[in-house]
């Protein structure tokens, strides 16, 4: 596929924050490689929606990024289809509790694989095209990579690793490629599959946020677009989009 537009590969693009990032980048003129793992129907629905707005601007790609070799395979498929990748958004993530004394190696492999391993090796696989495009990588981290969340130790460790990857890759890939992170606070409550929070816990979280409300997926997406398109002298930075949550201990 011949392509004159910039191409953004978004992992975990089918739903929630990933889907909103896709819509915002598409509005900004990017063509999109929409990655999903298990959410095929949501990914195809989003692709159809965006292709109606601009024909042949989106394509879906399935991959389990925690599986060894899968990130390189995904990179190859995207490059075969689009010919290049200008922007990589490492958004894919698994999120569930691993209480101390009950965590398993399977939990470790899933959470480290989806949140950190996949992001690292996908970035590695795309260095050449990102360099030729003077491209950008944006990693979706989490304020709990900096401030621990009780019972989510492995998840927090994985996001802390992604934060360090952001800073390390920013040094290694400069000056051709910028690498930054966005660290959401309370944006979307976990769904049923991730362990829904009861109302008391939600209110406790909101009480610690100076803005006194959760954010919206668009808050994250607009920050991602800014870092990709409007911040040519910013690299190695992690922007907390958290309503001021990190100001409170």
């Amino acid at each position: 596929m011949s392509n004159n537009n910039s191409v953004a590969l978004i992992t975990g693009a089918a739903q929630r924050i990933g889907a909103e990032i896709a819509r915002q980048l598409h509005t900004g003129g990017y063509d999109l490689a929409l990655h999903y793992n298990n959410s095929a129907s949501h990914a195809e629905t989003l692709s159809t929606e965006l292709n109606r707005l601009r024909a042949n601007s989106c394509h879906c790609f399935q991959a389990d990024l925690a599986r060894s070799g899968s990130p390189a395979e995904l990179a190859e498929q995207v490059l075969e289809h689009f010919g290049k990748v200008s922007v990589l958004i490492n958004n894919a993530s698994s999120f569930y509790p691993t209480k101390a004394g009950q965590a398993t190696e399977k939990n470790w492999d899933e959470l480290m694989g989806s949140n950190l391993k996949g992001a690292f090796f996908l970035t590695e696989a795309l260095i050449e095209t990102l360099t030729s495009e003077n491209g950008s990588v944006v990693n979706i981290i989490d304020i709990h990579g900096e401030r621990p969340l009780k019972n989510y130790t492995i998840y927090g460790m994985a996001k802390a690793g992604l934060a360090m990857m952001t800073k390390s890759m920013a040094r290694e890939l400069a000056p051709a490629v910028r690498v930054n992170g966005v660290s959401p606070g309370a944006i979307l409550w976990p769904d049923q599959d991730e362990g829904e929070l009861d109302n008391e816990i939600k209110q406790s979280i909101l009480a610690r946020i100076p803005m006194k409300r959760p954010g919206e997926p668009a808050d994250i997406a607009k920050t991602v677009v800014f870092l990709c398109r409007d911040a040519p002298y910013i690299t190695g930075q992690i922007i907390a989009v958290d309503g001021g949550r990190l100001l409170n201990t």
Side-chain angles (χ1 to χ4, degrees):
M1 177 178 174
S2 177
N3 192 336
N4 294 321
N5 290 343
S6 294
V7 176
L9 168 54
I10 307 164
T11 67
Q15 300 184 75
R16 296 167 66 87
I17 289 173
E20 184 61 25
I21 292 171
R23 290 187 179 97
Q24 295 276 350
L25 285 173
H26 191 265
T27 298
Y30 289 84
D31 287 349
L32 303 180
L34 303 175
H35 159 265
Y36 68 94
N37 185 15
N38 297 314
S39 303
S41 62
H42 290 94
E44 292 294 344
T45 297
L46 178 60
S47 180
T48 299
E49 170 194 329
L50 298 178
N51 279 323
R52 285 198 187 110
L53 297 174
R54 191 169 72 247
N56 301 317
S57 59
C58 298
H59 191 76
C60 297
F61 300 86
Q62 191 282 330
D64 177 1
L65 294 176
R67 179 177 63 81
S68 294
S70 183
E73 292 168 6
L74 174 61
E76 183 178 358
Q77 291 167 12
V78 173
L79 290 172
E80 183 177 352
H81 184 85
F82 284 105
K84 64 184 179 183
V85 172
S86 317
V87 166
L88 170 61
I89 312 298
N90 285 310
N91 169 70
S93 174
S94 294
F95 174 82
Y96 58 81
T98 52
K99 189 174 181 179
Q102 299 177 11
T104 66
E105 286 192 32
K106 183 175 184 289
N107 299 149
W108 175 277
D109 291 341
E110 288 176 347
L111 290 165
M112 286 292 181
S114 63
N115 287 290
L116 181 57
K117 178 183 175 182
F120 176 78
F121 284 104
L122 185 57
T123 305
E124 285 273 296
L126 293 170
I127 286 175
E128 183 176 348
T129 183
L130 289 167
T131 299
S132 66
E133 287 287 297
N134 289 112
S136 176
V137 178
V138 179
N139 297 318
I140 307 302
I141 306 174
D142 192 309
I143 62 168
H144 295 300
E146 181 177 345
R147 298 279 180 86
L149 179 63
K150 186 178 179 180
N151 296 331
Y152 287 79
T153 298
I154 299 176
Y155 172 80
M157 291 168 67
K159 288 300 191 181
L162 188 59
M164 180 51 69
M165 172 187 147
T166 300
K167 296 175 182 179
S168 296
M169 284 287 196
R171 293 195 68 177
E172 291 203 45
L173 301 185
V177 181
R178 295 180 301 107
V179 184
N180 292 290
V182 176
S183 203
I187 303 297
L188 288 172
W189 301 118
D191 59 27
Q192 189 172 14
D193 293 335
E194 297 171 332
E196 285 184 299
L197 301 177
D198 63 35
N199 191 59
E200 183 178 347
I201 294 174
K202 290 178 182 179
Q203 292 307 312
S204 174
I205 291 170
L206 292 176
R208 297 194 297 271
I209 299 173
M211 297 291 287
K212 299 302 181 187
R213 61 175 176 83
E216 299 178 354
D219 295 318
I220 305 302
K222 290 175 183 178
T223 307
V224 169
V225 173
F226 164 73
L227 288 171
C228 292
R229 190 181 64 186
D230 302 321
Y233 201 56
I234 296 178
T235 194
Q237 302 304 306
I238 298 171
I239 300 177
V241 182
D242 67 348
R245 171 67 182 89
L246 286 178
L247 297 174
N248 288 332
T249 56

